[in-house]
Amino acid sequence: MGMAAAPKQVPKKVLQGKIALVAGATRGAGRGIAIALGEAGATVYCTGRSSRKRTQRWVPTPGRPETIEETAELVSAAGGRGIAVRADHTKPSDVKKLVATIKRRHKGLDILVNDVWGGDALTEFGKTFWTVNLDNGLRMLKQAIHSHIITSHYAVPLMLGRGRGIIFEITDGDAFYYRGNLFYDLVKISVIRLAFAMARELRKRDVASVALTPGFLRSERVLEHFGVSEVNWKKAGKKGNINQNSTDQNDAPADFMASESPRYIGRAVVALAADPKVKEKSGRVFSSWGLAREYGFTDLDGTQPHWGDYARKKYGKYKICDERFYSYWVPGLVELIFPDWF
């Protein structure tokens, strides 16, 4: 199932002294990334809206117990320094205040992870764009695209002149295919495009910009869906028709057996952030499984899940964003006309 065994690794403090901001660190990939950065010794600002300090304005995600404070504690327990800051990344005033705090305390920022999402409850897979809930779709664009732009707008100035910085846009899929819902598709393709556009404007600076996708992610919500925990998750592979998906989502138990923990994409972030030649990768989209093979990191259980190999073997071949694909992007007409803009 694409689960090649590899020796377990003891994380090294390769990011000691680095300052990171994980926007959307409450749960899922964001939490896994924050903890992995902690493993590597970084100071990690863990932001989001779900907090232990509940007020009328700050309402946690319905039905979810995770908080940014809990994530920050897990970061510190992993060996880094976790700092929880409640922020709504769709509100420029919140992000501006957050970035001012980071500047006052640390003078700069080395790693920015744009992982704000919150669109699971808003997505209606398999429905046509003229039948889905329009308000939910537009809200998804605000939550998962506008928030990323707002955060980068305020945070990137802190990254300039630090020696080597990197921006991560967390997406779903390393290809240009359609993703089953118009708004979901716009979000996941748009953040890849954001990584590319920012890379073009940063190409003469010391900051890289990449998009990154996990495979089948064992998030808290997914584990709950299968009725298992991270400790006993493989039990889900013994239930019902293991190859059957629901009508509106990819949840075949056999596919879940090829899944990965959120720490896997977190270690992909660490690998790229620690790579002195990462600027050569700027403006492209990468997968956790592909980077695991390149850099040698493993998941929590010492394996290297490879969702790409598994999916192609089971469902058929599909094309990913490769060298030929990127050759259509650069140079663009505007760059040929105005080569000195950036």
Side-chain angles (χ1 to χ4, degrees):
M1 295 186 180
M3 302 281 284
K8 289 187 178 181
Q9 295 177 320
V10 177
K12 299 177 181 178
K13 304 295 184 179
V14 292
L15 299 179
Q16 190 81 46
K18 298 295 184 181
I19 309 301
L21 165 58
V22 180
T26 311
R27 60 184 66 84
R31 173 171 283 191
I33 291 167
I35 297 172
L37 288 167
E39 287 179 332
T43 293
V44 187
Y45 279 82
C46 307
T47 66
R49 295 180 297 186
S50 295
S51 170
R52 289 173 183 158
K53 304 171 185 176
R54 303 186 181 192
T55 66
Q56 186 174 2
R57 179 191 172 196
W58 298 98
V59 180
T61 301
R64 300 308 317 172
E66 302 86 12
T67 65
I68 52 173
E69 291 85 1
E70 186 179 51
T71 299
E73 290 166 0
L74 291 168
V75 170
S76 297
R81 181 189 176 197
I83 303 172
V85 179
R86 190 164 48 187
D88 184 340
H89 285 262
T90 68
K91 299 183 181 300
S93 59
D94 277 19
V95 179
K96 186 176 181 179
K97 182 179 179 181
L98 165 66
V99 170
T101 298
I102 297 173
K103 183 177 181 179
R104 184 176 67 253
R105 293 178 178 175
H106 303 285
K107 310 303 179 186
L109 183 68
D110 303 294
I111 301 162
L112 170 61
V113 181
N114 279 319
D115 184 55
V116 176
W117 166 230
D120 288 334
L122 305 175
T123 307
E124 299 174 272
F125 285 116
K127 287 190 176 182
T128 56
F129 63 84
W130 59 91
T131 61
V132 297
N133 184 300
L134 181 60
D135 289 338
N136 284 349
L138 295 176
R139 182 181 166 195
M140 195 193 307
L141 300 183
K142 181 179 179 180
Q143 286 187 182
I145 299 178
H146 295 189
S147 63
H148 290 213
I149 296 170
I150 291 167
T151 304
S152 294
H153 174 83
Y154 286 108
V156 168
L158 287 189
M159 305 179 75
L160 303 177
R162 296 274 289 182
R164 186 175 75 244
I166 184 167
I167 305 165
F168 292 92
E169 288 289 337
I170 306 305
T171 187
D172 178 11
D174 58 348
F176 205 65
Y177 52 68
Y178 172 64
R179 285 159 169 79
N181 169 276
L182 183 143
F183 292 102
Y184 186 93
D185 184 71
L186 276 176
V187 167
K188 301 307 179 180
I189 286 296
S190 292
V191 296
I192 295 175
R193 187 67 186 187
L194 275 178
F196 166 74
M198 290 189 291
R200 297 314 295 163
E201 297 188 16
L202 288 165
R203 65 184 186 274
K204 296 179 182 178
R205 310 278 186 158
D206 52 2
V207 179
S209 172
V210 301
L212 180 60
T213 181
F216 196 137
L217 190 72
R218 289 198 303 276
S219 67
E220 297 87 351
R221 189 187 298 272
V222 169
L223 288 169
E224 188 175 272
H225 174 77
F226 282 97
V228 293
S229 68
E230 183 59 37
V231 175
N232 67 353
W233 67 272
K234 291 185 179 180
K235 288 185 177 180
K238 301 176 182 179
K239 299 178 181 179
N241 185 342
I242 63 170
N243 288 304
Q244 185 174 342
N245 285 307
S246 295
T247 57
D248 63 344
Q249 61 183 311
N250 173 215
D251 62 353
D255 293 4
F256 183 63
M257 291 299 96
S259 66
E260 61 193 60
S261 81
R263 199 76 58 86
Y264 200 46
I265 190 172
R267 290 174 176 174
V269 165
V270 169
L272 287 173
D275 185 349
K277 296 183 179 180
V278 73
K279 193 65 186 294
E280 297 174 4
K281 288 181 163 62
S282 196
R284 300 190 174 192
V285 58
F286 298 92
S287 65
S288 56
W289 58 90
L291 292 175
R293 297 289 174 87
E294 179 178 354
Y295 289 97
F297 61 85
T298 66
D299 205 344
L300 291 172
D301 60 0
T303 64
Q304 290 182 312
H306 199 297
W307 174 252
D309 282 354
Y310 172 84
R312 276 187 285 271
K313 182 177 180 180
K314 180 174 180 179
Y315 294 107
K317 294 182 178 180
Y318 61 93
K319 295 181 179 180
I320 65 171
C321 298
D322 56 13
E323 291 299 325
R324 183 180 180 186
F325 179 81
Y326 294 119
S327 71
Y328 288 94
W329 290 24
V330 179
L333 180 58
V334 171
E335 289 177 292
L336 294 174
I337 299 173
F338 301 103
D340 299 322
W341 265 9
F342 305 108

